[in-house]
Amino acid sequence: MNPLENIRVVLVGTLYTGNVGSSCRAMANMGIRHLRLAAPNLQNDWEEGRRLAVHATGILDAREEFATFEEAVADCVAVVGTTAREGLYRQHVKAPRDCAADILSLAATGPVALVFGREDKGLLNEEVAQCTHLIRIPVDAGYTSINLSQAVLITCYEFFAASGRYQPPHEKAPPAPQAQKMQLMKNWAAMLEEIGFMKPGQADHFMQGFHRVFSRGVFTKDDAALLLGVARQAIWAKKNAEKGTHDEDGCGDSDV
Amino acid sequence: MNPLENIRVVLVGTLYTGNVGSSCRAMANMGIRHLRLAAPNLQNDWEEGRRLAVHATGILDAREEFATFEEAVADCVAVVGTTAREGLYRQHVKAPRDCAADILSLAATGPVALVFGREDKGLLNEEVAQCTHLIRIPVDAGYTSINLSQAVLITCYEFFAASGRYQPPHEKAPPAPQAQKMQLMKNWAAMLEEIGFMKPGQADHFMQGFHRVFSRGVFTKDDAALLLGVARQAIWAKKNAEKGTHDEDGCGDSDV
């Protein structure tokens, strides 16, 4: 069972449909699909909300609405409030990255509410007092007021990351082994002598520079194959030119 | 020197001022203040952009504009492209969390560009080809299209987190030592006998339940002091009632 399925994003007293719509899109990006509105206080119609939801209108249309905060979280085994403020009832606030994994393991046992307050004044003290967990998104001290849908995004992002459902991209080619890298150095030394870039006996000096560049940049077998192709081709071109002929099609076929 | 000062957020070919404004606010939240527009292709006026920047209009007003991508990144020691797509020139893409620290150490040596493409088609292949690093924001496979300012937010958030400039909140009270926790168990056992919740001899059984609850919930000296206060007060109230008197002001004074 995917614990993200048990996450309920609960927006409390939200004022603008645009923030609801943007939150839907952010949720969809992070694999979280259940939206609840608690005591919504919407000041505009759904045109903007639907527009900003883009292709996440399915989440918007499937939303549940509740008259009160209490009803919206009544079935939840954990109620995670987000708060930007310090002070009363907020002693045990944590950064989302530091508690997402623990809360997600609760979500494997039942519904978990991620609760976001009003655009203008956040969660009220009596709402914070009902939360089982409190999180505060890390922000710069110079500008701590974060947009509602941006807060939804970062919170959902941390839960998505904690779920392990995202596989970070990695290099498709396998890493180049040392023997291939040393072959690269040897073939380049031969090529550089052949084209007259360096004289015999200067290799030790010059090759240090290429070794430095290649050590930083050549990670995969494809990388090494690419540069081995250059050495092969340069030698071929020079020898071919000595014979008084030239073949424009003799280029390498390595991957970029 | 704060390496975040060397970050340049570069928006390429952006269509809507609202996304520029929202990006400014996201940057301000994450302590990143230098915005560049490369070949902007704005389809609406700055009214929406200024409105969504909210209190980050300083970043908007201080933006630099460049006719081309090349000019916008010419002075940068690293050019970090963001891309949602797979394929050509994108073999070495990484998740922002996996490379932010390395890139930030480059930012300690000179300007670093974080580059974001057009709302509709991202960065072009020829722009990706000029990037020294590529990142892809983790998103759910079901909805991979992320709003421009949301992409700016998550990327800046990861660099802000990597900068170590944010101190995650922590409990203000020190952790309760074991001796205080055991005193709590002992005083509660005495209180529970005194008020008749359990008979002498039942303590071993009942106290296991309280031990379980307290082990999960009592972390700080304040937590323990709060519950010690309850035991003290309950005993006082019961004994006081036996004397036929009652004092409403005899409540505890511990922190919540």
Side-chain angles (χ1 to χ4, degrees), chain A residues 25 28-31 54-55 92-93 97-98 138-140 143 145-147 150 153 157-158 160 166 168-169 171, chain B residues 25 28-31 54-55 92-93 97-98 138-140 143 145-147 150 153 157-158 160 166 168-169 171:
Chain A
R25 184 176 181 181
N29 287 147
M30 299 305 156
V54 195
H55 299 299
H92 56 300
V93 65
R97 191 168 299 181
D98 295 338
V139 287
D140 187 70
Y143 193 171
S145 162
I146 188 164
N147 167 265
Q150 303 277 53
L153 174 70
Y157 168 70
E158 288 291 359
F160 179 60
Y166 172 75
E171 295 269 354
Chain B
R25 184 177 180 181
N29 286 148
M30 300 304 157
V54 194
H55 298 298
H92 56 297
V93 65
R97 192 169 299 181
D98 296 336
V139 287
D140 187 70
Y143 194 172
S145 161
I146 188 165
N147 167 266
Q150 304 276 51
L153 175 69
Y157 168 68
E158 288 292 0
F160 179 61
Y166 172 75
E171 295 270 355

Side-chain angles (χ1 to χ4, degrees), chain A residues 56-147:
Chain A
T57 48
I59 293 176
L60 188 62
D61 293 337
R63 72 186 180 276
E64 300 173 279
E65 296 202 8
F66 298 84
T68 65
F69 171 90
E70 288 77 3
E71 292 166 83
V73 300
D75 64 339
C76 294
V77 299
V79 178
V80 183
T82 52
T83 172
R85 283 182 291 156
E86 314 238 349
L88 197 60
Y89 308 132
R90 289 165 168 85
Q91 266 205 26
H92 56 300
V93 65
K94 290 189 177 176
R97 191 168 299 181
D98 295 338
C99 62
D102 283 348
I103 294 171
L104 211 54
S105 62
L106 288 172
T109 70
V112 165
L114 302 183
V115 184
F116 300 85
R118 298 148 192 84
E119 287 92 334
D120 52 350
K121 47 190 174 186
L123 292 173
L124 308 179
N125 279 341
E126 57 262 37
E127 292 159 349
V128 169
Q130 295 177 60
C131 294
T132 60
H133 300 70
L134 289 175
I135 57 180
R136 182 182 303 142
I137 293 168
V139 287
D140 187 70
Y143 193 171
T144 60
S145 162
I146 188 164
N147 167 265

Side-chain angles (χ1 to χ4, degrees), chain B residues 136-202:
Chain B
R136 181 182 303 141
I137 294 169
V139 287
D140 187 70
Y143 194 172
T144 60
S145 161
I146 188 165
N147 167 266
L148 173 57
S149 70
Q150 304 276 51
V152 170
L153 175 69
I154 287 187
T155 306
C156 291
Y157 168 68
E158 288 292 0
F159 279 85
F160 179 61
S163 78
R165 292 181 64 81
Y166 172 75
Q167 294 301 316
H170 57 273
E171 295 270 355
K172 289 184 177 50
Q178 179 71 0
Q180 190 187 22
K181 290 176 179 168
M182 292 302 104
Q183 188 66 48
L184 172 59
M185 297 300 293
K186 192 177 153 209
N187 291 17
W188 265 60
M191 179 269 282
L192 294 169
E193 281 190 24
E194 183 71 34
I195 66 171
F197 179 85
M198 62 188 187
K199 296 193 172 64
Q202 293 183 313

Side-chain angles (χ1 to χ4, degrees), chain A residues 184 187-188 191-192 195 210 214 223-238 250-254:
Chain A
L184 173 60
N187 291 17
W188 265 60
M191 179 269 282
L192 294 168
I195 66 170
F210 288 101
F214 293 170
D223 296 340
L226 182 72
L227 292 169
L228 281 163
V230 172
R232 190 173 64 241
Q233 180 67 13
I235 291 172
W236 179 89
K238 192 256 188 180
C251 61
D253 60 355
S254 303

Side-chain angles (χ1 to χ4, degrees), chain B residues 37-230:
Chain B
L37 302 186
N41 185 20
L42 297 169
Q43 304 296 307
N44 60 344
D45 68 25
W46 281 106
E47 187 274 330
E48 192 186 30
R50 297 195 71 80
R51 183 168 55 82
L52 292 177
V54 194
H55 298 298
T57 47
I59 293 177
L60 188 62
D61 294 337
R63 72 185 181 277
E64 300 173 278
E65 296 201 8
F66 298 85
T68 65
F69 172 89
E70 288 77 1
E71 291 167 84
V73 300
D75 63 338
C76 294
V77 299
V79 178
V80 183
T82 51
T83 173
R85 284 182 291 156
E86 314 240 349
L88 197 62
Y89 309 133
R90 290 165 167 85
Q91 268 207 24
H92 56 297
V93 65
K94 290 188 176 174
R97 192 169 299 181
D98 296 336
C99 61
D102 284 348
I103 294 171
L104 211 55
S105 62
L106 287 172
T109 70
V112 165
L114 303 182
V115 184
F116 300 85
R118 298 148 192 83
E119 287 92 335
D120 51 351
K121 47 189 174 188
L123 293 173
L124 308 178
N125 279 341
E126 57 261 37
E127 291 159 352
V128 168
Q130 296 177 60
C131 294
T132 59
H133 300 70
L134 289 175
I135 57 179
R136 181 182 303 141
I137 294 169
V139 287
D140 187 70
Y143 194 172
T144 60
S145 161
I146 188 165
N147 167 266
L148 173 57
S149 70
Q150 304 276 51
V152 170
L153 175 69
I154 287 187
T155 306
C156 291
Y157 168 68
E158 288 292 0
F159 279 85
F160 179 61
S163 78
R165 292 181 64 81
Y166 172 75
Q167 294 301 316
H170 57 273
E171 295 270 355
K172 289 184 177 50
Q178 179 71 0
Q180 190 187 22
K181 290 176 179 168
M182 292 302 104
Q183 188 66 48
L184 172 59
M185 297 300 293
K186 192 177 153 209
N187 291 17
W188 265 60
M191 179 269 282
L192 294 169
E193 281 190 24
E194 183 71 34
I195 66 171
F197 179 85
M198 62 188 187
K199 296 193 172 64
Q202 293 183 313
D204 283 353
H205 174 69
F206 276 110
M207 293 316 290
Q208 283 301 319
F210 288 101
H211 187 57
R212 185 182 70 235
V213 173
F214 293 170
S215 290
R216 292 182 189 153
V218 177
F219 292 113
T220 68
K221 288 186 174 179
D222 283 1
D223 296 339
L226 182 71
L227 292 170
L228 281 163
V230 172

